[in-house]
């Protein structure tokens, strides 16, 4: 057995098992939805003992929170990487395009998000997790807005966190509309949003 420890204080084997459970949970939850998913199905998909899910996460509720947090962190990192891959004048449109692409390409991520939101409204044990997820989303978008200000694509007079709150609501709201009505024109919404943000240009 490996005795190497990761930054989280877990052995490499424990970290690998944890990551395998998270990947399995995302797959099963995306396919079946929260209510229809059982921990036994997740453990079977992850090839891990059912008790390990309780050991690492406590239960299905906490596992859902962790799945969405991990994916959100991944998307946040992808946005941060944009500043090294695009020119300053391309950054704003590229950053805004990412959540729109996710709405089209990974609707299951948003479905799980909405399920967590609904659970958080009625389960006080989940409320902190929902609040933290939304806060992380605002902070990530706020950083992108701040980068846009550095590139003079957004006026410095705009409060990044305030604009981030509005944009997060736009992304979540548009995703819900698209899931419920596939005819919603996401391209037109994206183009209009870019125009609106460019209206806040420092120029």
């Amino acid at each position: 057995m490996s005795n190497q420890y990761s930054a989280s204080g877990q052995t490499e084997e424990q970290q690998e098992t944890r990551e395998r459970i998270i990947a399995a949970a995302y797959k099963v939850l995306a396919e079946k939805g929260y209510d229809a998913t059982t921990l036994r199905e997740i453990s079977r998909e992850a090839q891990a003992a059912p008790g390990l899910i309780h050991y690492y996460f406590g239960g299905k509720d906490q596992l859902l929170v962790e799945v969405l947090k991990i994916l959100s962190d991944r998307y946040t990192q992808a946005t941060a990487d944009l500043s090294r891959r695009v020119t300053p004048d391309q950054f704003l449109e590229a950053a805004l395009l990412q959540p729109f692409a996710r709405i089209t390409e990974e609707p299951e991520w948003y479905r799980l998000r909405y399920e967590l939101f609904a659970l958080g409204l009625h389960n006080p044990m989940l409320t902190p997790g929902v609040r933290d997820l939304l806060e992380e989303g605002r902070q990530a978008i706020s950083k992108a807005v701040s980068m846009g200000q550095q590139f003079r694509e957004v006026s410095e007079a705009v409060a990044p966190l305030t604009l981030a709150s509005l944009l997060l609501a736009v992304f979540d709201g548009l995703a819900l509309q698209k899931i419920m009505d596939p005819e919603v024109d996401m391209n037109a919404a994206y183009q209009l949003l870019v125009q609106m943000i460019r209206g806040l240009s420092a120029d």
Side-chain angles (χ1 to χ4, degrees):
M1 180 178 294
S2 171
N3 61 359
Q4 296 298 309
Y5 284 81
S6 67
S8 65
Q10 297 177 331
T11 66
E12 291 179 358
E13 182 179 352
Q14 289 173 325
Q15 185 65 21
E16 191 275 335
T17 299
R18 191 176 186 279
E19 291 173 357
R20 199 167 68 244
I21 291 172
I22 289 173
Y26 181 58
K27 182 177 184 295
V28 177
L29 285 164
E31 289 175 352
K32 296 196 167 188
Y34 178 84
D35 288 336
T37 294
T38 66
L39 293 182
R40 186 170 297 278
E41 289 174 305
I42 294 174
S43 65
R44 185 165 54 244
E45 178 68 29
Q47 298 183 336
L52 287 176
I53 296 179
H54 288 285
Y55 174 76
Y56 287 114
F57 304 101
K60 190 167 71 169
D61 292 351
Q62 294 85 348
L63 180 54
L64 175 58
V65 173
E66 190 65 18
V67 165
L68 288 170
K69 183 181 184 304
I70 292 295
L71 290 171
S72 293
D73 290 345
R74 189 179 305 163
Y75 297 140
T76 297
Q77 185 59 50
T79 300
D81 291 342
L82 274 179
S83 61
R84 295 186 290 272
R85 293 191 290 106
V86 302
T87 60
D89 62 313
Q90 295 174 327
F91 176 76
L92 177 64
E93 292 189 28
L96 289 175
L97 183 60
Q98 286 194 318
F100 277 88
R102 195 180 312 141
I103 291 169
T104 302
E105 298 168 5
E106 299 182 79
E108 66 276 4
W109 185 80
Y110 279 99
R111 290 193 186 97
L112 292 179
R113 229 173 122 80
Y114 301 139
E115 290 196 84
L116 178 59
F117 291 167
L119 291 167
L121 288 173
H122 303 288
N123 184 342
M125 295 293 293
L126 285 178
T127 299
V130 176
R131 185 171 58 243
D132 290 346
L133 191 65
L134 291 170
E135 172 64 16
E136 289 174 9
R138 286 192 297 271
Q139 292 294 339
I141 297 172
S142 177
K143 289 180 181 178
V145 171
S146 295
M147 280 191 247
Q149 290 176 323
Q150 293 174 23
F151 299 149
R152 297 189 62 79
E153 292 187 288
V154 179
S155 170
E156 293 183 358
V158 175
L161 196 57
T162 300
L163 181 54
S165 297
L166 292 174
L167 290 174
L168 182 61
V170 168
F171 299 146
D172 279 335
L174 282 173
L176 179 58
Q177 292 181 63
K178 184 65 174 179
I179 289 172
M180 301 307 296
D181 182 3
E183 298 302 314
V184 171
D185 190 340
M186 297 302 293
N187 183 61
Y190 168 72
Q191 296 297 335
L192 180 56
L193 183 60
V194 169
Q195 290 180 35
M196 291 170 65
I197 299 301
R198 287 208 179 279
L200 300 173
S201 170
D203 298 332

